Amino acid sequence: MFLVLIIYPAVTYVQALTAPGAATFTAWSADWARQMGAGPVVNALENWYYTGHPPANSAPSTDALPVPVPEPAGDQANAPAALTTLPGALPGEGLWIPGARMAGGQEPGGSWPEQAQVPNALRPSLLATFNSGFKFRDTDGGFYADGQYGKPLKNGMASLVVDRSGVATVALWGRDAQMTPQVAAVRQNLELIVDGGKPVPGLSGNPAGQWGSARNQFQFTWRSGVGVDAEGRLVYVAGNQLTLTAMASALTAAGVVRGMELDIHGGMVSCNLFRPDVAGSAPRTLVPSMPTAPDRYLSADQRDFFAITARSGALRAPGAATG
């Protein structure tokens, strides 16, 4: 009996660390501990560590800031008007392109076409990939893609919805969006953190656990979020040492009218940029200090994610004629 108690955790731990995926050793270890029933212990340790490491009052160094990415070749004839960016915005920000949803090897579970990585057919037009939300055991939200449900959708949940033309939006499911034949994919995660253009009440207290475990909202940690502005343009935000209220404030400052938190903690927050119009170019992370590989999601990964691609013809070479 003693050997079973020792061997089983050891085997499952090795399986967790060797399964396909690009998150950090710490992230996979925390996931494994939660699966073994030690979630309260992990939460307590995370709260102790992250709440004790607030950000410095000084401005970050230049090497910690996003690297400007030149605008892709070609025009944006079929896109909405350019996004109005904040003062100090970087070149290339505010470009509009459609989005796509990808299932992971373990999240949400089940069998999916091109599971766990960007399909080869999409890579010539791939502009960005970014992380999805919490694991489904930690959120009441659902998942829908490719005509099937990974988990039932639930009214009242924050939802990133992609329609069949490739356009994505953030919605309160059941109020701003519902299932129709035009819906291609839905990823739900927690509840909205921005609604009506301002942070929703209760973020600092998290009274009913709408935004994760108790005191999760006070952690100074890597967080990511996504929202939609009044013109329907998608905005992704990520950064380190952010509390939940800081994330909501960042989305609001970017003009978001409805916004949701995605995943949190180092190794889970991952946004990578690609230049398919530049031969031989390598992907890069949105923020240099992101602790994940820039080619994450080009190989099998355990977690579901989003891929952003250009519309057909949007990446023609400069000066090329169009029909």
Side-chain angles (χ1 to χ4, degrees):
M1 182 65 177
F2 178 76
L3 287 177
V4 173
L5 292 176
I6 296 297
I7 293 174
Y8 176 73
V11 170
T12 58
Y13 187 46
V14 170
Q15 290 174 337
L17 295 180
T18 57
T24 62
F25 169 82
T26 302
W28 289 151
S29 296
D31 271 350
W32 169 82
R34 286 191 170 96
Q35 290 172 354
M36 297 299 293
V41 176
V42 175
N43 292 338
L45 289 172
E46 288 178 344
N47 287 333
W48 168 77
Y49 179 80
Y50 289 117
T51 56
H53 292 76
N57 291 326
S58 58
S61 62
T62 55
D63 60 359
L65 299 175
V67 178
V69 178
E71 293 187 10
D75 60 22
Q76 298 252 315
N78 296 319
L83 178 64
T84 301
T85 52
L86 301 174
L90 301 172
E93 291 185 339
L95 298 178
W96 179 93
I97 32 73
R101 275 283 303 116
M102 306 292 170
Q106 295 186 8
E107 295 291 314
S111 178
W112 305 86
E114 298 288 355
Q115 182 170 311
Q117 60 184 307
V118 177
N120 289 330
L122 290 181
R123 297 187 185 190
S125 60
L126 182 64
L127 296 179
T129 58
F130 63 88
N131 61 279
S132 188
F134 284 27
K135 281 199 166 186
F136 285 98
R137 67 168 183 266
D138 299 320
T139 176
D140 288 335
F143 181 101
Y144 171 84
D146 300 314
Q148 62 178 314
Y149 291 88
K151 187 179 178 183
L153 301 176
K154 182 178 178 180
N155 284 343
M157 302 299 295
S159 307
L160 204 165
V161 184
V162 184
D163 71 19
R164 295 195 177 280
S165 69
V167 176
T169 191
V170 172
L172 181 71
W173 191 254
R175 184 194 69 182
D176 309 311
Q178 58 187 355
M179 184 55 65
T180 72
Q182 296 305 311
V183 172
V186 182
R187 209 307 184 172
Q188 297 186 320
N189 194 55
L190 309 174
E191 297 185 9
L192 291 177
I193 63 173
V194 174
D195 198 15
K198 57 186 179 182
V200 302
L203 292 179
S204 61
N206 192 17
Q210 304 101 307
W211 302 287
S213 60
R215 300 189 63 81
N216 169 296
Q217 70 275 13
F218 299 127
Q219 295 177 11
F220 299 102
T221 186
W222 276 97
R223 293 182 191 268
S224 58
V226 66
V228 63
D229 72 0
E231 301 299 324
R233 294 167 293 204
L234 205 65
V235 178
Y236 175 89
V237 172
N240 195 9
Q241 294 184 298
L242 297 177
T243 62
L244 182 60
T245 53
M247 168 57 64
S249 296
L251 287 166
T252 302
V256 165
V257 294
R258 294 186 302 279
M260 59 190 287
E261 185 174 52
L262 295 176
D263 218 344
I264 67 173
H265 296 325
M268 298 303 175
V269 176
S270 177
C271 181
N272 304 313
L273 307 178
F274 300 79
R275 287 298 306 271
D277 59 321
V278 178
S281 63
R284 67 179 76 183
T285 55
L286 174 65
V287 179
S289 55
M290 276 183 170
T292 51
D295 60 352
R296 185 177 184 179
Y297 309 126
L298 296 185
S299 57
D301 201 271
Q302 297 180 28
R303 305 293 291 270
D304 58 305
F305 65 97
F306 294 90
I308 306 296
T309 58
R311 291 194 184 279
S312 177
L315 292 175
R316 68 179 189 277
T322 59

